Structures are given as structure tokens and as C-alpha cells.
Amino acid sequence: DVDFAACRRARTEGYGIIWALTKKGKLYRFNGNAFRAEKDSDSVSTITLDKSGNLWAAVYLKGIYIFKEKEWQEEIKVDHDPSLFLTKLTFGKYSGTLYCYGSHGLLAVDKGKFKAPEWTQAMAGKVFLINMLEDSKGNIWLSLDDGGAWVLSQQNWTHYTYQNGLTDDNVTSFYEDAE
């Protein structure tokens, strides 16, 4: 049975499937009547959707997988690196880049390999990423443990806090709507 209180994320995938990920790292699929555990889905740390509606899952010690054409396919292998634990996956709306955050900091996937984007050098010392968004114009939005919202636009960083418009510095999410 699924512990609903332990569900970290639930996403709707392009086929109309509801997915739930528990705190214990188990991925479930809702079949219309009940949740069913995905085979070999232990140690899933995070899930996200790409712009086509395909579900992506990071699996500890294995890699990143995509549920496409009704089956799981390995996309990125992590070569059993026990020091790499991914806690967030997100796709850039402008570039389509897959961004991953975890024990090695913020990484981008380039040709099937993880690499730190150059712009992360400016964020040295800011260790904990809360959330990230690449908007439709290519701007990078970050909420970090130092509070507020950081925006990278045309290679310039701007830090927004309660002092210039936010009601507080605890930014937890970014979303860009269709307008």
C-alpha cells in the first residue's frame, strides 16, 4: 500500500497516468482504481516531466530513466557513483536542458554526461538549492539557502529579497504560466 502522507511528488504523465513517489524512494503508478508499485523502482530520488509529457526518474546508483512509449528506458548512466545522489530534476523551458541537483551541486546534462554550468561559478558558497527554473527567455531563476530569488539574465545576477518586493525571503517554487 502507498503511504499517502509520505508521497513527495505526484505527476501526471502524457498517457494520463498518475505517478506518486514516496519518501522511501518507491515509485507508484495509479491504474484508475489503486496504486501499483513499479517493478525495480526502489531508490528513486526524484521525478519530473519533459515538455512532451514523458516522466523522468533519477535512480540512485543507476542513472536517469525516461518512461517513453509505455516502457522505461535508461537515458543517463551514473556508473554506480555512490557519492552522486540527485534530489531534483528539471528541464529548462528555453533550452530544453536537463538540470540535476544533488550531492555534486547543480549540474546540467550535456551529451549524456553531467557537467556544472559555467554560471554556477558565480554562486560559489551558496550550497543549498531549493528550487530552479529556466524560463522561456532563457533566464535562470534560483532560490537558495541564503533567501530570496536569484535571477541570471544576460550574464548578470540580480538578487530579489523582501527589501525589493518579496513579502519574505523564503522562496520555495517558481512557475511560468502561459501568458
Side-chain angles (χ1 to χ4, degrees):
D1 291 340
V2 176
D3 178 359
F4 290 99
C7 285
R8 261 193 295 208
R9 286 199 158 161
R11 300 276 183 158
T12 303
E13 185 264 334
Y15 301 107
I17 298 169
I18 301 296
W19 298 90
L21 177 61
T22 68
K23 284 185 178 180
K24 293 181 180 178
K26 191 74 172 173
L27 186 62
Y28 292 85
R29 181 194 316 204
F30 188 72
N31 67 9
N33 297 314
F35 279 97
R36 177 175 66 82
E38 280 295 287
K39 183 181 175 191
D40 301 324
S41 74
D42 292 332
S43 303
V44 175
S45 58
T46 185
I47 58 177
T48 195
L49 293 174
D50 63 21
K51 68 180 178 182
S52 297
N54 297 308
L55 185 78
W56 292 67
V59 181
Y60 182 60
L61 294 179
K62 292 184 179 178
I64 298 176
Y65 293 78
I66 181 174
F67 188 75
K68 192 174 185 180
E69 300 172 5
K70 300 189 180 191
E71 67 180 19
W72 287 104
Q73 301 169 16
E74 182 180 73
E75 286 293 310
I76 300 145
K77 194 177 204 90
V78 296
D79 296 323
H80 300 283
D81 179 355
S83 70
L84 179 61
F85 184 78
L86 299 174
T87 57
K88 292 188 188 300
L89 296 176
T90 188
F91 283 91
K93 197 170 187 178
Y94 176 77
S95 69
T97 299
L98 175 58
Y99 294 102
C100 308
Y101 181 74
S103 57
H104 292 197
L106 183 60
L107 303 170
V109 175
D110 183 30
K111 297 176 185 153
K113 301 284 184 194
F114 295 106
K115 72 173 199 172
E118 280 186 30
W119 49 262
T120 60
Q121 294 173 7
M123 304 311 291
K126 310 224 183 298
V127 293
F128 187 74
L129 176 75
I130 297 167
N131 211 326
M132 180 200 166
L133 170 78
E134 180 190 277
D135 67 24
S136 60
K137 295 176 184 164
N139 299 315
I140 303 293
W141 297 76
L142 302 175
S143 57
L144 302 167
D145 59 348
D146 65 350
W150 288 90
V151 183
L152 175 64
S153 178
Q154 299 176 355
Q155 303 302 318
N156 295 312
W157 284 101
T158 303
H159 188 199
Y160 294 98
T161 66
Y162 71 93
Q163 294 175 336
N164 53 7
L166 294 173
T167 58
D168 67 67
D169 287 346
N170 295 316
V171 176
T172 59
S173 298
F174 298 106
Y175 290 95
E176 181 178 20
D177 66 19
E179 292 186 27

